C-alpha cells in the first residue's frame, strides 16, 4: 500500500469523513483577498495567527511538500433546541479546536502521531486557509454564505490540515459553487446583512464574530447597540445562514441519535445562569462547550446580558439587577442596556438606583442611554 493510501485510510479509520491532499504551495488569491478587504479583516491580519505569513509557505516550513486536509462531520447526532438557539452547533459538538483531552482534540493528535510514525515531519502552528485548502483538494465546495460544503454532509463540517515534508499523490480541485441557481436564502436571512454579496462576508457585522472576537486585544469589547439588537439569544456562534440553506435541509430534518451529554447539559443551562455564573457552572457547563475563543467569563456574561435584553422578558429583571453589581464594568454596562430593552417600571427603577452609585463613566452612559430609550 502506498504512503498516500496509508494516510488516507488511517484518517477515515479514526473518524474523518473525507481526506484530500495538495502540494504545499502558496495561496496568492487568498492573500490578495485579505489585502483588498483589509478594513474588514485588519483584526485578523494583525492577530497572532499571522495569516499573511503564508504568502511564502516555504519560509514557515522550508521542507514542506504536501498539505493533507481532513473533513470532520460534527452533526452526526442531534442538538437540543434549548442549546441551539444560544450556541452554534460546531461548539456544542466540541469540535472547534478542542484541547487534546477531548475526543475531537485527540483525533488530530492521533493523525500527527501516525504521520510521524511514517517518518513524516509535520508542520506546527501554521495557520492555513482551511476552506481554500479543502476546495483545492477536492473534498469540499463553496456556498454563497462563505461556508465549505462536503458532498453528502452539507456545511456542518470542521476542517483540519496537516503540512508534511513528503511528496504524496495529489487530488484534483473542486472550487465550484454548489448553491441552487439564484438562491439567496442566506443573504436574506442574515439579520445584520453580513453577507453583502455571494461569497463575501463582512465579519465586523457577523453575529458569530461579535459573540467571541469582540475582546480586548482583538476587536475591542464594545458591541454597537445596532448589532446587539440583532444578536437574539446567541452567546457563541450563529448558524442562521446554515439553517436556511437548502443544501443543509436533509441533514437538519433527519432523525439523528441524541447526544446524551448535550441532553444533560441542556437540562440546567440557562442565560440567567451564564449572566451570573458560579465557579461550578463555569467549570461544568461553560468551559466544556465553549473552550476555544473566549478565555474570560466576562464576555460570556456580556453576551448573556444582551440575549436577556433581546428577550424583553420582565422575569429577568432580578437577574440583570444582580448583574449590575458585577465587578466587571463590561457586564454592568450590558446589563444596563438589557434592562433598558425590557423597559418595565421595575427595570427603570434598577437603572435609576444604580446611576448614582456607579463609578464607571462608560457604565453611567449605558445607564443614561437605557433610561432614555427604555
Amino acid at each position: 500500500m502506498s504512503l498516500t493510501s496509508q494516510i488516507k485510510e488511517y484518517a477515515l479509520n479514526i473518524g474523518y469523513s473525507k481526506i484530500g491532499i495538495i502540494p504545499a504551495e502558496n495561496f496568492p488569491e487568498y492573500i490578495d483577498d485579505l489585502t483588498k478587504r483589509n478594513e474588514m479583516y485588519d483584526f485578523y491580519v494583525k492577530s497572532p495567527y499571522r495569516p499573511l505569513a503564508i504568502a511564502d509557505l516555504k519560509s514557515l516550513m522550508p521542507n514542506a511538500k504536501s498539505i493533507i486536509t481532513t473533513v470532520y462531520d460534527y452533526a452526526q447526532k442531534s442538538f437540543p433546541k434549548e442549546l441551539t438557539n444560544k450556541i452554534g452547533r460546531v461548539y456544542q459538538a466540541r469540535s472547534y479546536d478542542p484541547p487534546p483531552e477531548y475526543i475531537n482534540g485527540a483525533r488530530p493528535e492521533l493523525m500527527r502521531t501516525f504521520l510521524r510514525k511514517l517518518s513524516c515531519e509535520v508542520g506546527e502552528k501554521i495557520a492555513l486557509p482551511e476552506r481554500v485548502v479543502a476546495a483545492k483538494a477536492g473534498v469540499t465546495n463553496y456556498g454563497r454564505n462563505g461556508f465549505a460544503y462536503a458532498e453528502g454532509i452539507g456545511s456542518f463540517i470542521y476542517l483540519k490540515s496537516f503540512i508534511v515534508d513528503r511528496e504524496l499523490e495529489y487530488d484534483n480541485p473542486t472550487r465550484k459553487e454548489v448553491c441552487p441557481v439564484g438562491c439567496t436564502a442566506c443573504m436574506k436571512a442574515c439579520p445584520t446583512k453580513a453577507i453583502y454579496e455571494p461569497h463575501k462576508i463582512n465579519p465586523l457585522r457577523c453575529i458569530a464574530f461579535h459573540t467571541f472576537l469582540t475582546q480586548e486585544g482583538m476587536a475591542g469589547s464594545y458591541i454597537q447597540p445596532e448589532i446587539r439588537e440583532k444578536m437574539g439569544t446567541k452567546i457563541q456562534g450563529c448558524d442562521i445562514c446554515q439553517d436556511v440553506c437548502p443544501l443543509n435541509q436533509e441533514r437538519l430534518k433527519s432523525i439523528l441519535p441524541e447526544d446524551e451529554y448535550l441532553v444533560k447539559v441542556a437540562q440546567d443551562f440557562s442565560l440567567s445562569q451564564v449572566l451570573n455564573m458560579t465557579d461550578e457552572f463555569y467549570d461544568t457547563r461553560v468551559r466544556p462547550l465553549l473552550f476555544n475563543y473566549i478565555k474570560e467569563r466576562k464576555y460570556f456574561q456580556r453576551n448573556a446580558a444582551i440575549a436577556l435584553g433581546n428577550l424583553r422578558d420582565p422575569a429577568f429583571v432580578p437577574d440583570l439587577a444582580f448583574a449590575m453589581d458585577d465587578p466587571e464594568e463590561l457586564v454592568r454596562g450590558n446589563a444596563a442596556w438589557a434592562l433598558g430593552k425590557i423597559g418595565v417600571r421595575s427595570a427603570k427603577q434598577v437603572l435609576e438606583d444604580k446611576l448614582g452609585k456607579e463609578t464607571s463613566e462608560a457604565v453611567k452612559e449605558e445607564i443614561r442611554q437605557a433610561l432614555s430609550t427604555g
Side-chain angles (χ1 to χ4, degrees):
M1 184 181 293
S2 70
L3 179 62
T4 298
S5 296
Q6 290 182 67
I7 291 171
K8 288 189 171 184
E9 286 200 8
Y10 183 77
L12 297 173
N13 185 26
I14 62 174
Y16 289 114
S17 301
K18 297 179 185 295
I19 178 170
I21 305 175
I22 63 172
E25 299 174 345
N26 296 329
F27 301 90
E29 294 177 4
Y30 172 74
I31 297 298
D32 183 57
D33 191 43
L34 274 184
T35 304
K36 285 180 178 177
R37 295 195 287 160
N38 186 60
E39 73 283 357
M40 297 180 187
Y41 287 90
D42 185 59
F43 72 94
Y44 181 50
V45 169
K46 294 180 179 178
S47 75
Y49 294 105
R50 300 188 307 126
L52 296 184
I54 61 166
D56 183 6
L57 182 57
K58 293 297 177 69
S59 69
L60 302 176
M61 184 177 174
N63 54 344
K65 296 289 194 304
S66 304
I67 301 175
I68 302 161
T69 185
T70 60
V71 176
Y72 175 69
D73 174 2
Y74 64 75
Q76 299 175 52
K77 294 185 177 182
S78 63
F79 298 91
K81 291 182 180 179
E82 299 87 346
L83 294 178
T84 303
N85 62 359
K86 304 177 185 71
I87 303 170
R89 291 176 179 83
V90 68
Y91 308 107
Q92 290 185 58
R94 292 89 71 200
S95 60
Y96 198 100
D97 197 21
E101 62 267 25
Y102 284 56
I103 188 64
N104 291 324
R107 189 175 293 107
E109 289 301 317
L110 288 170
M111 192 71 189
R112 291 187 188 94
T113 299
F114 182 76
L115 290 169
R116 291 182 181 119
K117 284 183 178 179
L118 295 176
S119 300
C120 295
E121 180 183 342
V122 184
E124 298 287 348
K125 298 181 179 180
I126 300 175
L128 292 168
E130 298 286 3
R131 296 174 190 178
V132 177
V133 173
K136 282 190 172 185
V139 293
T140 64
N141 292 295
Y142 288 112
R144 292 190 187 123
N145 58 5
F147 280 85
Y149 284 75
E151 186 176 354
I153 302 174
S155 64
F156 299 118
I157 55 177
Y158 179 66
L159 308 176
K160 183 67 177 178
S161 297
F162 307 87
I163 308 175
V164 297
D165 64 340
R166 302 287 293 276
E167 289 189 359
L168 301 171
E169 299 163 37
Y170 301 127
D171 296 293
N172 296 319
T174 45
R175 298 184 66 84
K176 66 180 181 180
E177 182 184 285
V178 291
C179 299
V181 176
C183 181
T184 57
C186 57
M187 299 176 68
K188 292 176 180 177
C190 180
T192 60
K193 305 306 176 188
I195 310 172
Y196 60 92
E197 63 180 65
H199 311 290
K200 299 293 184 182
I201 298 174
N202 181 352
L204 304 181
R205 295 197 61 80
C206 176
I207 289 174
F209 170 93
H210 284 284
T211 62
F212 48 65
L213 287 178
T214 44
Q215 302 178 52
E216 283 95 349
M218 299 180 77
S221 62
Y222 182 74
I223 300 176
Q224 294 287 344
E226 175 211 356
I227 298 293
R228 297 179 201 174
E229 293 174 353
K230 305 292 187 181
M231 289 172 66
T233 57
K234 310 294 186 186
I235 64 168
Q236 179 148 324
C238 176
D239 287 338
I240 292 174
C241 66
Q242 297 184 89
D243 287 340
V244 300
C245 179
L247 299 173
N248 284 330
Q249 296 313 301
E250 181 177 354
R251 175 60 65 92
L252 289 171
K253 294 174 181 177
S254 297
I255 299 175
L256 301 172
E258 291 184 332
D259 184 322
E260 294 297 337
Y261 175 73
L262 290 180
V263 170
K264 185 174 179 60
V265 169
Q267 291 172 352
D268 57 4
F269 191 99
S270 70
L271 293 172
S272 57
Q273 287 174 296
V274 177
L275 174 64
N276 296 307
M277 71 176 78
T278 62
D279 290 343
E280 181 182 5
F281 185 82
Y282 181 64
D283 289 336
T284 63
R285 290 295 176 259
V286 175
R287 283 177 58 89
L289 292 183
L290 311 176
F291 44 70
N292 32 54
Y293 282 111
I294 303 178
K295 305 305 180 186
E296 295 184 65
R297 66 176 68 187
K298 65 182 179 181
Y299 300 112
F300 294 116
Q301 293 175 274
R302 174 201 61 192
N303 296 348
I306 292 171
L308 290 173
N310 286 329
L311 286 174
R312 291 172 166 77
D313 187 342
F316 294 114
V317 169
D319 298 299
L320 291 161
F322 188 83
M324 289 298 297
D325 291 322
D326 194 273
E328 294 287 349
E329 68 175 49
L330 181 68
V331 177
R332 300 197 303 275
N334 284 275
W337 178 87
L339 287 165
K341 286 300 166 184
I342 294 174
V344 297
R345 182 59 209 159
S346 60
K348 292 180 179 179
Q349 186 63 57
V350 172
L351 292 168
E352 290 167 356
D353 291 345
K354 298 299 181 184
L355 181 58
K357 303 173 184 177
E358 180 57 56
T359 58
S360 164
E361 286 301 321
V363 178
K364 285 182 180 180
E365 183 57 27
E366 289 279 8
I367 294 173
R368 295 188 191 101
Q369 289 293 324
L371 287 169
S372 68
T373 58

